[in-house]
Amino acid sequence: MLSYAFQTLNQENYEEVAVESFDEMYDLLAAILAKGIGIQLKQGLYREYINRQEELPAMRGKINMPGTIKNRLTHKRVLTCDFDELSENNLFNRIIKTTVTLLLRNAKVKSEYKDDLRKKMLFFSNVDTLEPTSIRWSFIRFQRNNQTYRMLISICQLIIEGMLITTDAGDYRLASFADEQRMCRLYEKFILEYYSRHYPELKVSASQIPWSVDDGIRKMLPVMQSDIHLQKDNTVLIIDAKHYSHTTQTRYDKHTLHSNNMYQIFTYVKNRDYDFGDEEHKVSGMLLYAKTEEEIQPDNMYQMHGNQIAVKTLDLNLPFKDIATQLDGIARAYFDCKKDD
């Protein structure tokens, strides 16, 4: 799932990671991070100008008058100077070092991966660590000089947000990999990128679906953001990917589908259907749950007002070729297209 969600991992630089077998998610993340850091070190660590203030015997940058006057009053023959210095001690490198520090503390990471990460950290001796919970991920901006950090920072975010919890003593430890919400995002991204990679005949996107309104007024209507929108000509399949610990809800010993999920996919399908107008078309929907260990797993097909809505499960606890077979079966069932290996 990670290799599809982060397409950078499919580059030949990561071939060694791709063929290695990992028993622990921690080891996989440590190996990916170590490989990525190694590649970045060959290109050089990103550096940016950092404002500094120091007491110096000679002027550098601008003289800080209050500090210099204070030095004179205390008979210090130094100048307080404000200056900009090109430094690797910036937010991007601090995030990487902080993430590596957390992995090094985790007992589940094998020593071979820890040793590799420790060697890489020798090049980060001038870089500080951060308080992990203080990182404001949405404020991070990439530009031409630090584009190579995009995948590394994404992996760091996945580790810190998905695996980090705080103990009562204020220490940090790594929890079981990711919570339900973040795993759901990864699950969605994986399916989207799988179809995008292997089915070039399909138009694959996570597109917004416009509300079908009679007077054209959509003010204050919520955004309908699909997870996976597959289209070939006028045939459309909208997939809503769900990664829950329970695929059904239970009341009075009766298992039913999550009502909000059904309302949501039905709304998506009908509005996309109306969007075609009088053109000949076919719009279908699917709730695709990650299979759990529960006894009852949904496998249903419904015909609703001229549209087909399916509820299926994807078994992720299989070799990848079998997971791919399940996804290929969905594509073949709805579209006349060939898989690109």
Side-chain angles (χ1 to χ4, degrees):
M1 288 170 66
L2 281 169
S3 67
Y4 277 90
F6 297 100
Q7 285 296 303
T8 314
L9 301 184
N10 291 329
Q11 296 176 2
E12 56 186 45
N13 291 327
Y14 289 85
E15 282 181 351
E16 294 176 18
V17 175
V19 299
E20 192 169 348
S21 178
F22 296 91
D23 297 324
E24 287 283 350
M25 175 63 72
Y26 309 95
D27 290 336
L28 172 62
L29 292 170
I32 292 172
L33 200 56
K35 177 65 70 173
I37 294 171
I39 294 169
Q40 188 60 53
L41 287 173
K42 291 178 181 178
Q43 300 176 20
L45 290 178
Y46 171 63
R47 302 169 73 194
E48 63 184 19
Y49 283 101
I50 306 293
N51 182 260
R52 295 187 59 183
Q53 184 180 100
E54 286 188 14
E55 295 180 348
L56 303 170
M59 189 179 112
R60 181 179 180 184
K62 297 179 180 179
I63 295 177
N64 181 287
M65 291 307 296
T68 301
I69 292 172
K70 183 178 179 180
N71 291 335
R72 292 291 184 182
L73 293 174
T74 55
H75 304 290
K76 292 183 180 178
R77 295 186 177 183
V78 291
L79 300 172
T80 301
C81 300
D82 293 324
F83 58 93
D84 291 332
E85 184 176 66
L86 199 59
S87 171
E88 63 268 23
N89 190 22
N90 53 64
L91 177 61
F92 296 92
N93 292 323
R94 288 176 183 175
I95 289 175
I96 291 173
K97 186 170 183 177
T98 300
T99 307
V100 170
T101 301
L102 291 171
L103 287 172
L104 291 177
R105 293 176 184 173
N106 183 18
K108 290 187 177 181
V109 178
K110 292 180 180 177
S111 59
E112 60 186 283
Y113 302 115
K114 286 185 177 181
D115 291 342
D116 193 11
L117 287 171
R118 287 193 185 98
K119 291 176 183 177
K120 302 290 193 303
M121 285 301 100
L122 294 175
F123 296 90
F124 287 73
S125 57
N126 295 324
V127 177
D128 299 327
T129 56
L130 296 166
E131 177 70 21
T133 54
S134 70
I135 301 172
R136 304 176 71 179
W137 302 100
S138 61
F139 284 80
I140 297 175
R141 295 291 179 268
F142 296 93
Q143 34 93 352
R144 186 177 62 182
N145 293 333
N146 56 28
Q147 277 296 326
T148 53
Y149 275 73
R150 187 180 291 274
M151 191 278 293
L152 281 173
I153 297 301
S154 295
I155 293 293
C156 290
Q157 183 178 5
L158 188 66
I159 294 171
I160 291 177
E161 284 197 336
M163 302 172 71
L164 187 65
I165 62 174
T166 313
T167 65
D168 293 336
D171 298 324
Y172 292 102
R173 63 187 178 88
L174 294 177
S176 300
F177 177 71
D179 60 20
E180 198 167 84
Q181 183 180 7
R182 294 185 179 92
M183 277 304 296
C184 191
R185 288 200 215 111
L186 180 60
Y187 179 55
E188 294 167 12
K189 180 73 171 170
F190 158 61
I191 297 171
L192 180 72
E193 294 297 340
Y194 180 86
Y195 285 122
S196 180
R197 164 66 180 83
H198 295 291
Y199 289 89
E201 293 181 54
L202 298 180
K203 182 180 179 182
V204 182
S205 65
S207 59
Q208 292 183 1
I209 300 169
W211 286 91
S212 179
V213 293
D214 296 332
D215 56 5
I217 299 175
R218 297 182 175 87
K219 186 177 181 180
M220 294 188 72
L221 287 175
V223 173
M224 286 193 287
Q225 180 69 56
S226 64
D227 292 344
I228 301 105
H229 184 283
L230 307 179
Q231 182 171 354
K232 182 181 181 184
D233 300 324
N234 281 4
T235 300
V236 172
L237 173 63
I238 300 171
I239 300 177
D240 216 9
K242 301 297 182 185
H243 192 287
Y244 292 164
S245 55
H246 301 284
T247 54
T248 59
Q249 55 189 10
T250 308
R251 189 175 184 184
Y252 303 124
D253 295 326
K254 183 179 179 180
H255 291 265
T256 61
L257 300 169
H258 293 277
S259 54
N260 289 340
N261 297 165
M262 288 301 299
Y263 300 152
Q264 184 181 48
I265 192 66
F266 180 76
T267 304
Y268 287 0
V269 168
K270 295 311 295 182
N271 279 274
R272 186 68 182 93
D273 188 48
Y274 296 145
D275 195 39
F276 279 102
D278 296 329
E279 294 182 70
E280 185 177 346
H281 64 278
K282 181 180 180 182
V283 178
S284 306
M286 177 180 290
L287 289 174
L288 187 56
Y289 291 94
K291 189 175 181 179
T292 65
E293 295 181 355
E294 294 173 297
E295 184 178 347
I296 296 178
Q297 298 292 330
D299 184 10
N300 306 83
M301 192 80 72
Y302 306 99
Q303 299 295 330
M304 298 182 176
H305 295 272
N307 301 97
Q308 185 184 87
I309 295 181
V311 183
K312 302 288 183 181
T313 57
L314 182 66
D315 192 349
L316 299 173
N317 194 31
L318 292 173
F320 185 76
K321 64 177 182 178
D322 296 326
I323 297 174
T325 298
Q326 296 174 79
L327 292 172
D328 295 339
I330 292 172
R332 286 195 299 269
Y334 290 88
F335 302 98
D336 180 19
C337 57
K338 294 181 180 179
K339 181 180 180 182
D340 185 357
D341 293 326

